[in-house]
Amino acid sequence: MPGKQPNLFAFSDTSGLAAALRNYIVTSQHAGLQRHEVFKVAVSGGSLPQTLAQALLAEPKSEEDVIKFDKWEIFFADERAVPLDHEDSNYALIKKELLDKFPASIGQPIVHPIDVEHLNDTQELADQYEKKLVDSFAKGDSVRLPIFDLLLLGSGPDGHTCSLFPGHPLLRETDAWVAPIEDSPKPPPRRITLTLPVITHAVKIAFVATGEGKKEIMKEIFEEGNGLPCAMVNEAAGDRVSWFTDNAAVEGVQFPRRSFL
Ligand SMILES: O=C1O[C@H](COP(=O)(O)O)[C@@H](O)[C@H](O)[C@H]1O
């Protein structure tokens, strides 16, 4: 892997992982608030929200460690073209696992779900979501790409991330910020996703991958790359990428681990 390498952190259990992830998110939150008084983050669905909840719902250890949720703007790294209360909705998942569990007293984030008016037309669904990004990131100026403070992503057992799947033509998208997909190999087939240029332009990118089921693909991502979407993010964003894994997910993976300080 040429250039600066991604950071690979491996923990013996999910509680160690969650504590480190919280620390990383809080540092990223401080940086975002210093930059523009708001913390702009995009989240994935899948197995991530549960670990994320474990990280964020823990009691702060100090004033520095407080999650300033009322300063967060939350977008979706990808979303399925289903109603917001559907069992396949990433919004519903994040709501159930995280948003509903955060005490209202500490303030609520601004959350940007998809516009369900356009569920029948995934191109329009993606365009409308892109418009939300333009409104939030460009504010009337012309910007080439939005710059998220942090992306919180998962990796599928096939090496997909967001709704960017191995070998799919969407991996070559260079213009759109948000793109539709009608043939996702993982159900449901109709979705929208942030595109690679947006993902790799973020200030920080964190992947969370846990469990033995991810071991084979982690080996491929870190040792061969093979054009897998996760490997493409590693290659393009280098040390702006951090992987939070458990030992089971990276057993036998030939790539230097870093210790989380
Ligand atoms: O379909 C999706 O899958 C990925 C990975 O999910 P995981 O359960 O293997 O962690 C997820 O990151 C993405 O948001 C979701 O739509």
Side-chain angles (χ1 to χ4, degrees):
M1 203 176 291
K4 292 189 174 165
Q5 301 212 319
N7 305 296
L8 176 58
F9 302 113
F11 302 88
S12 53
D13 55 26
T14 43
S15 57
L17 187 164
L21 181 64
R22 181 200 180 93
N23 205 303
Y24 174 90
I25 292 172
V26 166
T27 304
S28 178
Q29 170 191 265
H30 285 315
L33 294 183
Q34 270 197 338
R35 257 193 313 273
H36 41 214
E37 293 173 5
V38 52
F39 182 46
K40 297 192 186 204
V41 50
V43 294
S44 291
S47 54
L48 171 86
Q50 232 184 344
T51 314
L52 195 55
Q54 200 179 339
L56 297 181
L57 297 172
E59 278 300 307
K61 293 198 198 68
S62 64
E63 193 53 41
E64 277 289 286
D65 188 41
V66 170
I67 305 289
K68 301 201 169 133
F69 220 32
D70 57 335
K71 305 268 197 244
W72 284 41
E73 230 182 291
I74 302 180
F75 294 85
F76 290 84
D78 72 319
E79 183 55 288
R80 291 86 177 272
V82 293
L84 297 179
D85 58 358
H86 192 279
E87 60 177 355
D88 286 334
S89 160
N90 285 344
Y91 169 83
L93 185 63
I94 283 283
K95 182 171 182 309
K96 179 174 95 170
E97 294 291 348
L98 184 65
L99 303 176
D100 288 352
K101 293 182 184 163
F102 246 99
S105 55
I106 64 158
Q108 290 301 304
I110 296 171
V111 182
H112 296 282
I114 52 166
D115 183 348
V116 291
E117 291 276 292
H118 306 291
L119 290 181
N120 291 332
D121 179 349
T122 53
Q123 181 65 63
E124 191 59 23
L125 195 64
D127 290 349
Q128 289 300 325
Y129 206 72
E130 181 166 311
K131 196 163 169 299
K132 280 185 203 262
L133 298 189
V134 171
D135 290 346
S136 173
F137 287 86
K139 297 211 162 68
D141 298 333
S142 144
V143 295
R144 192 175 69 80
L145 287 165
I147 307 177
F148 281 98
D149 295 311
L150 176 62
L151 298 181
L152 290 160
L153 306 181
S155 163
D158 57 353
H160 85 267
T161 191
C162 303
S163 285
L164 297 170
F165 290 87
H168 197 281
L170 253 191
L171 292 170
R172 295 192 294 274
E173 176 62 54
T174 52
D175 295 329
W177 294 3
V178 183
I181 167 165
E182 294 264 341
D183 56 356
S184 159
K186 176 179 172 181
R190 302 175 65 252
R191 299 156 170 240
I192 63 165
T193 182
L194 295 182
T195 58
L196 263 186
V198 172
I199 296 168
T200 57
H201 207 57
V203 178
K204 297 276 180 199
I205 303 156
F207 282 98
V208 176
T210 54
E212 208 190 333
K214 298 274 161 85
K215 195 167 80 178
E216 290 311 316
I217 200 67
M218 290 294 284
K219 223 172 151 40
E220 198 176 335
I221 292 167
F222 279 91
E223 294 179 16
E224 284 132 54
N226 286 344
L228 292 170
C230 289
M232 292 174 85
V233 177
N234 278 352
E235 280 152 25
D239 63 355
R240 284 181 291 115
V241 183
S242 294
W243 284 78
F244 292 82
T245 68
D246 60 5
N247 289 334
V250 288
E251 195 197 319
V253 175
Q254 300 299 310
F255 194 84
R257 276 68 161 157
R258 299 202 48 192
S259 45
F260 193 87
L261 302 172

